[in-house]
Amino acid sequence: MAPHYDIAVVGYGPTGLAAASLLGRLGHRVVVCERWPGLYGLPRLTHIDDETARTIQAAGDVDEALRDSSMCQYLWVNGKGETLVNIPASPEGPMGYPDHISMYQPDVEGAIDKRLRGYGTVDVRQGWAVTGLDQDDDGVTLRLRGWNADAMCVDGPHDSVRARYVIAADGSRSGIRELLGVERQDFGFNEQWVNVDTEWLRPRPPQFAYGTQYCDPARGHMTINIGATRQRFEFALLPGETREEMTTPETAWRLLREYHDLGPDDVRITRQLVYGFEARIATRWRTGRVFLAGDAAHTMPPYLGQGACSGIRDATNLAWKLHLVLGGLAPDALLDSYESERRPHVTALTHAAIGLGRVANTHDTEAAAARDAAFFAGEVPPPPPFPPLSGGVLRKEVGTPVGTLTPQGRIRLADGRTGRFDDLTGYGFTLVTTEDPTAALGPDRLGRLESLGCAVVALDTVDDLDGRHREYLQLLGAVAYLARPDFVLFGTAADTTDLGTLVDDLDAALSGTVGAAV
């Protein structure tokens, strides 16, 4: 009989790693099915934001994960090198990390992998491909077969696993998505770029300490630092250039010399391949007990740096909802809010990334000149802020930023422990109040919060070392705020009388009754 788990995660990239670790941290039996025998070991993504860093903090040792990272300012310049847009990086975003981070993906994946293997509840099965699935009212059976990494095919032994739910995080060519027969909407953005990753053999020149997008009509290209010691270079393929031609070492050195005056004495090439940039979103993200996440659900061009960040948001959104459903604390219908919350958010980011991609890849010289003139004249509006969640598990409030992200600062507890807020309060719901809420809530509501694993933090009993949480409450004009495990603001309490109603509304939202939109 197939081994039985709470959740099966298919795919062991950033989305799958985050999902498996968060669910393992919550005590669930998780099996990971990944066809490759080990972690990828090379950087695919290079940029994360402070929200993603906060999730990495929940899923692994964030200091180890970001040991070779740096802030990443991002310049957009035209073919003459004139600045069109300067996107600065702040050293301290609201989540307690720089808001734009250049990082080395293997460090991040290694730190999360190490953490989740220590839970004792996560079974990582590498070298196994999923070849089929069967669903019934109680769970999903995945049929597995050993993957031959050398021959790139399945030719090994057969096996199977069974889980109550499945998260398919198996990439843009998702085999699970194909097995489910789910189509994707194509937004018509398709480009090919050659990626050349390098390591510096000498001190990095200052012009490579940040990201630069060259919006050159002759050939779009870009470079971005990967932490402190590595550099990525990308070049758009021109008409007539083939994948085979663009992946030869001679082509890489020619492009590096022509565009950046770099040669073998400056850098060592560690990876070279052609990527296809696309914008596609699956037509449905849930099929019974199976959920698509990450690139299996959506892909976008890289110009916003939000592809992997979006996948990790999927993982955080699904993890806490699956935890409640598996624990009998919420009905299965709660899981429908995963797609209703995440799809509009990722769709907005996809359209923004497409827009930036069109700016970067204007090939007509006259159109490029008009574009430049519009930027220089200040006629191009700045990119819109990231969208909040506009529905789902949120309290119905007017005049408060429900659906946006809550901050993280450093605090000191009464016992003297000092650190990041999440490290000291735990992973889950969080109720932050100006004063002890015990009397206002009473034993029944406090018991309900405890059953949900909600940390209750009264700022009159801790030192808010950065003042970030008190400032946030002042900004909200509230005596309390309630944050979801994915750092999203569920709702606020204007006074102590409203505090009990806030907890009741969370209970109603999770049960799918009244008081909040689900």
Side-chain angles (χ1 to χ4, degrees):
M1 187 174 180
H4 199 286
Y5 298 87
D6 295 325
I7 306 103
V9 177
V10 182
Y12 206 43
T15 301
L17 277 157
S21 184
L22 294 175
L23 287 161
R25 178 174 179 171
L26 291 167
H28 296 288
R29 293 196 65 213
V30 180
V31 61
V32 177
C33 304
E34 166 58 56
R35 64 179 180 171
W36 297 105
L39 296 174
Y40 186 61
L42 290 171
R44 287 166 290 190
L45 69 104
T46 59
H47 167 274
I48 59 173
D49 55 25
D50 54 334
E51 178 188 357
T52 304
R54 191 175 180 182
T55 300
I56 294 169
Q57 176 189 338
D61 184 334
V62 68
D63 296 311
E64 180 179 344
L66 300 182
R67 61 186 176 179
D68 184 14
S69 66
S70 60
M71 288 194 306
C72 185
Q73 178 186 7
Y74 202 18
L75 290 179
W76 288 61
V77 304
N78 63 13
K80 300 177 182 178
E82 299 168 322
T83 299
L84 302 177
V85 181
N86 182 356
I87 304 174
S90 169
E92 193 73 11
M95 299 291 183
Y97 300 93
D99 55 359
H100 294 288
I101 303 171
S102 164
M103 37 60 73
Y104 185 54
Q105 182 178 347
D107 287 346
V108 173
E109 294 188 345
I112 298 176
D113 176 71
K114 181 179 179 181
R115 170 74 65 81
L116 68 82
R117 289 178 185 271
Y119 293 137
T121 60
V122 182
D123 180 8
V124 181
R125 304 194 61 174
Q126 292 166 298
W128 291 91
V130 176
T131 58
L133 65 83
D134 300 292
Q135 295 196 60
D136 54 44
D137 291 340
D138 299 318
V140 185
T141 299
L142 297 178
R143 297 191 295 276
L144 311 178
R145 194 167 181 196
W147 173 260
N148 186 326
D150 294 325
M152 298 280 287
C153 67
V154 288
D155 63 2
H158 296 266
D159 203 350
S160 64
V161 296
R162 184 166 172 80
R164 290 179 63 184
Y165 293 96
V166 172
I167 299 174
D170 52 339
S172 62
R173 294 190 290 267
S174 170
I176 297 293
R177 190 183 63 235
E178 290 188 9
L179 288 171
L180 296 172
V182 176
E183 302 293 332
R184 290 190 295 169
Q185 180 183 3
D186 189 339
F187 290 88
F189 188 98
N190 296 281
E191 295 179 348
Q192 290 200 325
W193 286 55
V194 61
N195 176 110
V196 182
D197 282 346
T198 67
E199 290 182 346
W200 287 103
L201 299 177
R202 60 182 178 88
R204 181 179 61 194
Q207 68 267 29
F208 294 109
Y210 47 84
T212 304
Q213 181 75 49
Y214 295 87
C215 307
D216 186 346
R219 184 197 296 270
H221 58 106
M222 65 85 66
T223 180
I224 188 170
N225 56 310
I226 306 176
T229 60
R230 301 173 179 89
Q231 198 80 21
R232 169 166 295 174
F233 302 90
E234 291 183 341
F235 306 90
L237 269 65
L238 301 180
E241 292 179 335
T242 65
R243 180 182 295 266
E244 292 73 22
E245 171 192 358
M246 299 303 286
T247 51
T248 65
E250 294 78 12
T251 295
W253 291 121
R254 175 177 60 80
L255 293 171
L256 289 173
R257 179 65 71 187
E258 178 180 352
Y259 289 95
H260 299 289
D261 197 26
L262 296 173
D265 293 334
D266 303 300
V267 295
R268 179 175 70 88
I269 295 174
T270 58
R271 189 178 73 141
Q272 180 181 353
L273 75 167
V274 170
Y275 267 124
F277 297 162
E278 63 178 30
R280 300 180 184 180
I281 298 179
T283 54
R284 69 177 187 272
W285 296 14
R286 179 181 188 180
T287 302
R289 292 176 171 267
V290 183
F291 299 86
L292 302 180
D295 284 357
H298 47 77
T299 55
M300 68 179 72
Y303 303 103
L304 201 60
Q306 284 295 309
C309 296
S310 294
I312 291 174
R313 288 189 194 99
D314 295 345
T316 61
N317 190 295
L318 267 176
W320 68 266
K321 294 174 181 176
L322 282 167
H323 170 63
L324 295 183
V325 173
L326 288 165
L329 296 167
D332 177 88
L334 175 68
L335 299 173
D336 291 333
S337 67
Y338 162 61
E339 181 175 348
S340 68
E341 289 183 353
R342 291 292 305 127
R343 176 185 287 276
H345 191 275
V346 81
T347 300
L349 294 184
T350 300
H351 285 301
I354 290 171
L356 288 172
R358 287 172 177 157
V359 169
N361 295 285
T362 302
H363 301 296
D364 181 88
T365 55
E366 291 186 4
R371 173 204 62 195
D372 297 351
F375 273 104
F376 297 148
E379 298 171 353
V380 179
F386 278 16
L389 297 187
S390 56
V393 187
L394 301 173
R395 196 184 194 209
K396 294 179 179 177
E397 293 184 358
V398 176
T400 60
V402 294
T404 61
L405 296 170
T406 57
Q408 174 183 224
R410 296 178 305 113
I411 61 173
R412 180 185 295 114
L413 300 183
D415 61 10
R417 287 182 294 152
T418 301
R420 299 182 181 103
F421 183 88
D422 295 352
D423 290 338
L424 297 179
T425 61
Y427 171 61
F429 288 95
T430 308
L431 177 66
V432 180
T433 65
T434 54
E435 298 177 353
D436 185 357
T438 301
L441 292 178
D444 290 343
R445 289 183 175 119
L446 287 171
R448 176 57 174 162
L449 291 177
E450 183 179 2
S451 71
L452 293 173
C454 180
V456 178
V457 181
L459 294 179
D460 62 343
T461 64
V462 304
D463 289 333
D464 186 14
L465 298 175
D466 303 319
R468 184 162 294 171
H469 303 280
R470 287 191 180 277
E471 291 173 2
Y472 184 61
L473 280 171
Q474 291 171 0
L475 177 67
L476 295 172
V479 299
Y481 70 85
L482 184 53
R484 308 184 337 175
D486 51 2
F487 325 127
V488 171
L489 178 65
F490 169 78
T492 68
D495 51 40
T496 54
T497 303
D498 192 31
L499 190 54
T501 308
L502 174 63
V503 175
D504 293 343
D505 283 349
L506 174 63
D507 195 32
L510 296 177
S511 63
T513 54
V514 295
V518 179

